[in-house]
């Protein structure tokens, strides 16, 4: 079944050659010649998708058609089969799967797509960019909208039967301009449809066909006003000037393109640091030595990007440091490539906020903690781990270790001390501070908050009577 525009003969002429090269001169679209010529119908694509709304009359002959949509309004996309009898015999399944996306047309925004969509998510919590109007749709099975992909929907359909998907686009073109209001020229989007058949395992992964068209989205009724404005603008032009423009077609045919590039990235799910301790012992080691197994068990204090990092290492580093939206943008960058870039480069590519954050992360700029204290194990303890003062009074060296506090709570202090000496926090029952005349004062959150920055403490321990745990004494 074919669905043709009611349009003059010259449409097919400017749909070839330079027209398509202009349309598909984008990094995500493969430059290829269309095969919609009625003189050679054996080259027709297997499917055709038609957006049932008029194109703008203010588009020049050798430019791609532009269609205006109203925000939140339902628009029909007809899914048509062009296959002749005997073609595509390998299509051995009844249904195919189509994935619909609203993506950016501008190359600049394509490079930062993930960042742009994430910003939209934060500004419009709970909303989606693209939805299917299921009650109006016909022949659509198993429609799905992923909660993490706000601009994507997918469904199954039977090519041998009538199928129409009604879509709703909830973002507007001016939301992705610098000032984000209607006084600016909004950015164009693309509607792209990728269709797949089942493989041997029953998964819809074998690509069959892809097509897209250019759109702009306005606030409700804004598309109608823009269409009217363009029509009035064209009416004022002379006949000679009108010849340079396309007529406004009643429907929009999506043009063939390459499939949308889904680039899988592997996240480095390294195991969390664990504690290596015996449940019945608490050993802080010698007073003049480093904590036991500190290097192996403690997580690294920083995660610097090295010049020797490979492309895969860079991808994993971006994931670990919460820069996943830029993985596609830096998919071919090594560590040396990123380290050569300046702050201005990152700001220009990633925007001010994320650009500065990425620059600081790459250059290894650490944030100063709220408080730093220094602790040292008491020089001498007996086998019962009861505190005893040294009797010889020699001046043996005590090595202090820095503890960095951010939350300034007792729980954080317990965890940091336990982490420092490679024990479980559950083995520390309470923390006391030695006060006047040797009394033990229970350390509370308020007391931690009133510690002086860069205070020094000697750590002693007392065996808890109720269980196998211990009490920490700060002296």
């Amino acid at each position: 079944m074919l669905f043709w525009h009611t349009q003059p003969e010259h449409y097919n002429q400017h749909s070839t050659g330079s027209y398509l090269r202009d349309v598909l001169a984008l990094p995500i679209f493969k430059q290829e010649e269309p095969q919609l010529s009625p003189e050679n119908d054996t080259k027709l694509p297997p499917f055709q998708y038609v957006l049932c709304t008029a194109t703008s009359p203010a588009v020049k002959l050798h430019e791609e058609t532009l269609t205006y949509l109203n925000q939140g309004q339902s628009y029909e996309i007809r899914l048509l089969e062009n296959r002749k009898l005997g073609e595509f015999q390998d299509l051995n399944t009844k249904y195919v799967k189509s994935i619909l996306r609203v993506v950016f047309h501008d190359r600049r925004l394509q490079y930062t797509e993930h960042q742009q969509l994430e910003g939209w998510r934060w500004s419009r919590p709970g909303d989606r960019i693209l939805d299917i109007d299921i009650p109006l749709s016909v022949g659509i099975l198993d429609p799905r909208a992923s909660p993490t992909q706000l601009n994507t929907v997918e469904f199954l359909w039977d090519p041998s039967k009538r199928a129409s998907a009604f879509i709703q686009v909830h973002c507007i073109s001016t939301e992705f301009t610098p000032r984000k209001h209607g006084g600016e020229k909004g950015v164009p989007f693309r509607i792209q449809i990728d269709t797949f058949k089942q493989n041997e395992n029953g998964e819809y992964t074998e690509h069959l066909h892809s097509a897209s068209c250019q759109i702009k989205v306005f606030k409700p009724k804004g598309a109608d006003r823009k269409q009217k404005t363009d029509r009035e603008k064209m009416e004022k032009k002379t006949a000679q000037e009108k010849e340079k423009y396309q007529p406004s077609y009643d429907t929009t045919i999506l043009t063939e393109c390459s499939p949308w590039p889904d680039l899988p990235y592997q996240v480095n799910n390294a195991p969390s640091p664990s504690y290596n301790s015996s449940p019945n012992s608490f050993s802080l080691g010698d007073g003049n030595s480093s904590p036991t197994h500190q290097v192996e068990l403690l997580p690294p204090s920083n995660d610097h990007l090295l010049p020797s990092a490979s492309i895969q290492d860079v991808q994993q580093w971006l994931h670990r440091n919460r820069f996943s939206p830029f993985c596609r943008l830096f998919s071919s960058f090594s560590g040396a490539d990123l380290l050569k870039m300046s702050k201005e480069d990152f700001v220009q590519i990633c925007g001010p906020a994320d650009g500065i954050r990425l620059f600081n992360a790459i250059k290894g700029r650490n944030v100063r903690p709220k408080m730093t204290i220094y602790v040292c194990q008491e020089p001498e303890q007996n086998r019962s781990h009861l505190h005893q003062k040294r009797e010889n009074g020699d001046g043996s060296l005590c090595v202090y270790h820095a503890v960095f506090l951010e939350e300034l709570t007792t729980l954080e202090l317990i965890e940091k001390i336990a982490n420092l000496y490679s024990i479980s926090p559950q083995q520390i029952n309470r923390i006391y501070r030695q006060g006047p005349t040797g009394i033990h004062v229970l350390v509370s959150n308020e007391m931690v908050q009133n510690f002086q920055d860069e205070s020094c403490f000697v750590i002693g321990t007392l065996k808890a009577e109720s269980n196998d745990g211990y009490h920490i004494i700060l002296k």
Side-chain angles (χ1 to χ4, degrees):
M1 180 175 65
L2 297 178
F3 187 91
W4 294 101
H5 280 297
T6 55
Q7 50 193 297
E9 190 175 2
H10 75 269
Y11 173 77
N12 287 322
Q13 296 174 2
H14 74 66
S15 293
T16 60
S18 62
Y19 164 69
L20 191 72
R21 285 193 291 272
D22 291 339
V23 172
L24 302 183
L26 299 169
I28 62 170
F29 297 116
K30 181 173 61 180
Q31 296 186 15
E32 55 188 13
E33 293 295 327
Q35 300 172 346
L36 297 177
S37 174
E39 289 81 10
N40 190 5
D41 58 1
T42 59
K43 295 184 179 180
L44 283 173
F47 303 105
Q48 191 174 54
Y49 318 113
V50 180
L51 176 61
C52 297
T53 188
T55 61
S56 167
V59 177
K60 292 185 178 181
L61 283 178
H62 296 288
E63 293 181 356
E64 183 181 10
T65 58
L66 176 60
T67 304
Y68 303 132
L69 303 183
N70 288 316
Q71 179 188 26
Q73 182 173 329
S74 296
Y75 291 92
E76 180 184 11
I77 296 182
R78 295 181 185 176
L79 309 167
L80 309 172
E81 180 187 29
N82 283 342
R83 296 179 301 158
K84 296 174 64 177
L85 185 63
E87 289 183 336
F88 287 86
Q89 294 294 339
D90 57 341
L91 186 58
N92 52 10
T93 58
K94 181 178 180 181
Y95 299 104
V96 295
K97 180 169 83 169
S98 287
I99 301 177
L100 273 70
R101 293 178 174 88
V102 171
V103 296
F104 291 110
H105 174 82
D106 291 347
R107 183 175 305 189
R108 175 181 61 86
L109 293 174
Q110 289 173 15
Y111 287 148
T112 59
E113 176 189 292
H114 291 288
Q115 175 195 6
Q116 298 289 339
L117 298 185
E118 190 66 20
W120 191 89
R121 182 200 302 269
W122 282 102
S123 64
R124 300 272 297 275
D127 290 349
R128 290 188 55 81
I129 289 178
L130 179 64
D131 270 325
I132 296 182
D133 193 338
I134 297 177
L136 292 179
S137 300
V138 177
I140 301 301
L141 301 176
D142 195 22
R144 296 185 181 183
S146 171
T148 59
Q149 295 179 310
L150 306 182
N151 64 327
T152 302
V153 295
E154 61 182 53
F155 52 83
L156 304 179
W157 59 287
D158 184 352
S160 64
K161 297 181 180 179
R162 177 191 172 191
S164 291
F166 281 77
I167 64 167
Q168 298 171 336
V169 182
H170 298 290
C171 64
I172 59 176
S173 293
T174 52
E175 287 184 282
F176 299 96
T177 53
R179 296 185 181 87
K180 296 180 173 57
H181 61 67
E184 289 184 290
K185 185 178 180 181
V187 302
F189 302 126
R190 302 195 71 83
I191 292 178
Q192 173 153 342
I193 304 178
D194 301 286
T195 299
F196 303 85
K197 69 174 183 178
Q198 284 181 311
N199 60 14
E200 297 177 353
N201 299 325
E203 300 172 339
Y204 290 93
T205 56
E206 294 194 21
H207 178 257
L208 288 174
H209 183 247
S210 295
S212 66
C213 68
Q214 183 182 198
I215 64 169
K216 280 190 176 182
V217 186
F218 297 81
K219 291 183 178 180
K221 298 184 179 180
D224 306 320
R225 291 192 294 268
K226 178 61 175 173
Q227 187 80 355
K228 181 181 178 182
T229 301
D230 284 0
R231 188 167 56 248
E232 293 173 349
K233 176 182 176 181
M234 295 305 301
E235 290 174 354
K236 296 178 181 179
K237 293 184 179 294
T238 64
Q240 186 176 3
E241 291 175 330
K242 290 180 181 180
E243 291 178 357
K244 300 178 182 179
Y245 291 84
Q246 303 178 26
S248 176
Y249 305 120
D250 294 336
T251 57
T252 305
I253 291 182
L254 277 66
T255 307
E256 277 193 286
C257 65
S258 60
W260 184 255
D262 288 323
L263 301 179
Y265 295 108
Q266 296 180 352
V267 181
N268 182 23
N269 294 321
S272 301
S274 57
Y275 297 102
N276 183 16
S277 61
S278 171
N280 297 319
S281 65
F282 180 22
S283 175
L284 299 183
D286 297 333
N288 56 355
S289 64
S290 298
T292 307
H293 302 302
Q294 180 183 6
V295 176
E296 293 80 14
L297 296 176
L298 291 181
S301 59
N302 49 51
D303 186 11
H304 293 312
L305 185 65
L306 302 177
S308 59
S310 64
I311 293 177
Q312 184 178 5
D313 294 335
V314 169
Q315 295 294 309
Q316 294 176 350
W317 184 89
L318 291 171
H319 276 290
R320 289 197 304 271
N321 290 273
R322 298 180 292 112
F323 294 106
S324 299
F326 303 104
C327 282
R328 179 180 295 176
L329 176 61
F330 297 113
S331 60
S332 60
F333 281 63
S334 65
D337 294 331
L338 287 182
L339 287 168
K340 291 176 183 177
M341 297 175 64
S342 66
K343 180 190 292 185
E344 290 72 22
D345 294 333
F346 287 113
V347 169
Q348 184 177 4
I349 295 173
C350 305
D354 287 308
I356 293 175
R357 189 169 70 89
L358 181 54
F359 174 79
N360 290 339
I362 288 178
K363 301 303 179 181
R365 297 187 177 183
N366 296 323
V367 180
R368 181 176 176 84
K370 289 184 178 179
M371 181 180 295
T372 302
I373 62 174
Y374 303 104
V375 297
C376 171
Q377 182 187 352
E378 192 169 17
E380 185 177 343
Q381 293 175 315
N382 61 15
R383 298 194 178 198
S384 303
H385 304 285
L386 296 176
H387 167 64
Q388 290 182 352
K389 291 185 179 181
R390 298 184 59 140
E391 297 179 356
N392 54 11
D394 61 6
S396 59
L397 177 66
C398 293
V399 178
Y400 282 82
H401 303 279
V403 176
F404 304 106
L405 300 177
E406 295 288 351
E407 300 175 3
L408 304 182
T409 63
T410 308
L411 180 61
E412 182 189 22
L413 182 59
I414 290 176
E415 292 176 348
K416 291 294 178 68
I417 293 177
N419 197 10
L420 180 64
Y421 292 103
S422 303
I423 63 171
S424 170
Q426 283 71 30
Q427 290 184 260
I428 301 177
N429 289 2
R430 290 183 178 180
I431 294 185
Y432 296 97
R433 183 173 182 181
Q434 185 167 294
T437 67
I439 63 174
H440 294 161
V441 182
L442 181 65
V443 175
S444 62
N445 292 341
E446 186 176 3
M447 182 181 291
V448 174
Q449 294 166 8
N450 283 280
F451 281 168
Q452 289 187 359
D453 193 23
E454 298 191 338
S455 298
C456 298
F457 297 101
V458 175
I459 291 181
T461 60
L462 282 177
K463 183 73 172 65
E465 298 178 357
S466 57
N467 52 34
D468 294 331
Y470 294 86
H471 302 307
I472 295 289
I473 303 173
L474 303 179
K475 302 178 181 180

